[in-house]
Amino acid sequence: MNQTFLTSESATKEEYKKIIAKTAEAISNAFVDDRAYSGPTPDELKKIIAQDTILPEKGLGFEKVFELTKEKVLPNLLRTPSSDYMAHLHGPSLVETIASELIISTFNQSMDSWDQSPVATEIEMEVTKHLCSLYGYDTTKADGVFTSGGSQSNQTAIILARDWFCNQILNYDVKKNGLNEKCSKLRMYTSEISHFSMEKSAHILGLGYKSVVKVPVDSRKKMDIKALRTLIEQDKKDGNIPFLIVGTVGTTDFGSIDPLEELSQIARENNMWLHADAAYGSGVIMSSYKERVSALHLCDSITVDFHKMFLMPISCSAVLVKDGSTFDALTIHADYLNREEDEEDGYSNLVDKSLQTTRRFDALKVWVSFQSRGKDGWAKLIDTSLQNAQYFYTQLKADSDFAVVTEPEISSVVFRYTGALSGTKLAQNEQASRLDEINKKVRRALIHEHGIVIGQTISDGFTCLKFTLLNPLITHEKLDELKALIKELAEKN
């Protein structure tokens, strides 16, 4: 590798094309079978990748290091496009978005100021406007910004909610003056199975875990509205200050959707902000089942993730707000970056509404894939995932060897193998413990013996297995085969 960068010179262009072509070929060759994982354990992987040093006195050159990469790294990477991968909210990447990633990396735009990303800035603004429309916001008022993922989108929304509440309801400017005694009494309400970014955000904001009130869920894993009302009223009596409700639109494990209409009503009654963590469920808006998330427009802010149901490379997320002026909470001007006179002349600096300064041009992936696929193409992709989940749920319900936690609303199915101990004389708690171990062993056997990667979680104190069905290549036949294999492995233990 003789050239350092891609420039207008022909030699650098040839070198660039050569390296990209060689890399593409090696990646393609790494897909040697349909398995999601090649099988090594953590200890085995440590030995495979061990090097005397990764910073030699004299560089090895790209060719030698590339050979090392082909030998040690590519064969052992998780192959997320495999229909044997269904562990997490992390799936395959659409080919047009992989092409977009090449553009993003090569041109290396930074989304903080217009002069670092001219057309990229305009594209992101255009994309966020269309996203606001897609989720039912008034585009003359609404706004959004891309983030690193759901956690940062949620954190951004919580900051905006806190500052809005302090300014509008408490008549206190926390941006200028910091937290005061009243801020220690602020309370936010979220499902007991909501994402851990709620507690993380509360910690970072100086509100502490105590400010996060976990609301019980019902049998369908949705937030219990009656319990929410009781908790808010009790906090008021105790002198605390309710300021935010977070409804989860697709819980991480179960894909359950909190009742946004009721949450909106409670928020309005109590002068609270309503945020929708739709990192998972935001993709449902593109499907034939979009009525399941049709109440998103009632929320003051929405977290959208494109590296989940939208099948785009990590990272790609956004936070949308009903009132774009609330982004003022994040705006601070610097002469070297976002000068006010530039903005007055129409140069938009997106750092004004972002927690990040340097930020990737992830909006390109959305711009390319939305236009490439269209509404019909997206509906086919996401409908398939929802229909696969419903099919697998039905098959499990009909099999007495399995117990299913709840009927899926999106594309997650949480279940437990229960058939191995039927007819035994073990006490109930001993049976439960033994079944926990069997389910754990099944998951490990699938990973290391079969290259199949599924999820594991806890529900009502029991160890459960989880299929997160994001990949539209998964078929009903595949699901039947996996169910049979799980039963076979369980019976061996």
Side-chain angles (χ1 to χ4, degrees), residues 161-227:
R162 182 201 63 185
D163 281 36
W164 167 83
F165 187 88
C166 287
N167 276 306
Q168 299 298 318
I169 309 301
L170 300 182
N171 196 30
Y172 176 74
D173 192 338
V174 69
K175 179 178 178 179
K176 289 182 179 178
N177 302 313
L179 303 179
N180 65 3
E181 191 174 312
K182 279 189 175 181
C183 292
S184 69
K185 297 180 181 296
L186 290 173
R187 295 293 181 267
M188 55 184 281
Y189 304 81
T190 184
S191 157
E192 65 182 348
I193 56 172
S194 65
H195 196 258
F196 66 81
S197 57
M198 307 308 157
E199 286 94 333
K200 272 197 171 184
S201 297
H203 168 215
I204 292 167
L205 268 63
L207 302 178
Y209 287 0
K210 67 179 173 55
S211 69
V212 183
V213 182
K214 289 302 190 80
V215 182
V217 295
D218 61 21
S219 61
R220 293 206 63 192
K221 305 298 183 181
K222 297 169 178 284
M223 193 188 296
D224 186 321
I225 294 299
K226 185 177 179 181

Side-chain angles (χ1 to χ4, degrees), residues 7-15 17:
T7 70
S8 60
E9 294 179 4
S10 59
T12 70
K13 291 180 181 181
E14 290 306 312
E15 187 77 10
K17 287 188 284 186

Side-chain angles (χ1 to χ4, degrees), residues 134-135 257 281-294 309-310 374-387 409-410:
L134 180 65
Y135 290 99
I257 299 173
S282 49
V284 178
I285 200 72
M286 307 291 270
S287 74
S288 302
Y289 306 90
K290 60 185 176 182
E291 75 280 353
R292 297 181 186 180
V293 298
S294 60
M309 288 202 85
F310 286 99
K375 289 182 179 179
D376 60 335
W378 277 105
K380 289 175 186 175
L381 288 174
I382 297 181
D383 281 359
T384 300
S385 295
L386 272 69
Q387 289 162 3
E409 287 189 277
I410 307 180

